[in-house]
Amino acid sequence: MSAQGSPSASGPPPPHQEYPSKGTNPLRRTSDRIESWLFIFLMFVLFLGMPAAALGAGLTAYESSMRAVQTQSAQRHEVTARLTSDVKGGAEDAKRQAPVRWTDGDGTVRTGTTLVEPGKPKGATVQVWVGRDGTLTEPPMSTLNAKATGWLLGGMVAAGVTASLFAARNGVRRVLDRRRYAQWEAEWVLVEPLWSARFRR
């Protein structure tokens, strides 16, 4: 085969075709760009804003709960009381209300009812919490409760922010899809008669 007939000698090589960049894609509509930028923005908020919001809410809840822990611990104290009657039931039964009697620090004898494990006899000792007014009350909130409150609220805020962002994205996508469908329908009204005419020839 002569050099003139070889493929390499048939002419200059075809020019290198540059592919259009993503931003100059002629098929990329304005709504597509809006949706793409919105997704980038929402991901930015999700990975930076959501942790900050969750951390802030969790710390606020924890600090508020710790103040409640300190206040309740200062206003309540534990005393030893004695049952004034037998508590019926077995070990498998739930706690029951039972009457108890105790003596305050000033020597005042007080009575009340509290939840007690079943099966305890009259005269058995139980630990109860008493407020400043001398009445029975619930145990004060613990540090563990404060931490759990902080983690719970932080997790709820994180879940709420994430759900809100995905709901916003889906809402915008629906709006854009309705607009795109309307544009397609309007364009098809113009194209369809020309398209159908091709098959009538």
Side-chain angles (χ1 to χ4, degrees):
M1 180 182 291
S2 64
Q4 197 172 20
S6 64
S8 61
S10 61
H16 179 66
Q17 295 182 349
E18 295 287 344
Y19 290 97
S21 63
K22 187 176 182 181
T24 60
N25 186 347
L27 298 179
R28 189 173 172 85
R29 300 158 298 186
T30 302
S31 61
D32 296 329
R33 294 186 182 94
I34 293 174
E35 185 175 351
S36 177
W37 281 108
L38 175 67
F39 177 77
I40 293 173
F41 172 74
L42 292 180
M43 290 300 99
F44 177 81
V45 174
L46 179 64
F47 288 108
L48 294 181
M50 184 270 288
L55 182 61
L59 286 176
T60 300
Y62 171 72
E63 291 171 356
S64 176
S65 298
M66 283 303 299
R67 287 193 292 271
V69 170
Q70 295 170 358
T71 300
Q72 293 179 6
S73 298
Q75 294 176 346
R76 305 174 187 182
H77 62 280
E78 195 173 21
V79 298
T80 301
R82 291 187 177 276
L83 291 171
T84 58
S85 65
D86 296 334
V87 183
K88 297 180 180 180
E92 69 281 358
D93 296 332
K95 288 185 177 182
R96 298 183 178 184
Q97 291 284 348
V100 293
R101 182 177 62 244
W102 72 96
T103 303
D104 274 348
D106 59 1
T108 303
V109 177
R110 296 183 178 273
T111 59
T113 58
T114 188
L115 287 174
V116 180
E117 296 285 349
K120 288 184 175 292
K122 178 180 178 180
T125 60
V126 292
Q127 298 298 120
V128 295
W129 286 90
V130 180
R132 286 182 174 178
D133 58 356
T135 59
L136 294 176
T137 186
E138 295 293 326
M141 181 184 293
S142 66
T143 303
L144 182 61
N145 296 138
K147 291 180 180 179
T149 301
W151 280 106
L152 177 62
L153 188 59
M156 291 175 61
V157 169
V161 170
T162 302
S164 299
L165 292 177
F166 278 100
R169 183 193 176 196
N170 290 336
V172 172
R173 175 176 284 180
R174 289 194 195 98
V175 173
L176 293 176
D177 282 344
R178 283 198 295 267
R179 181 180 177 183
R180 287 189 280 246
Y181 294 149
Q183 290 176 342
W184 289 338
E185 185 175 356
E187 292 172 358
W188 181 248
V189 169
L190 299 175
V191 174
E192 193 274 338
L194 301 176
W195 182 268
S196 301
R198 298 175 57 189
F199 299 99
R200 300 194 193 104
R201 293 175 185 175

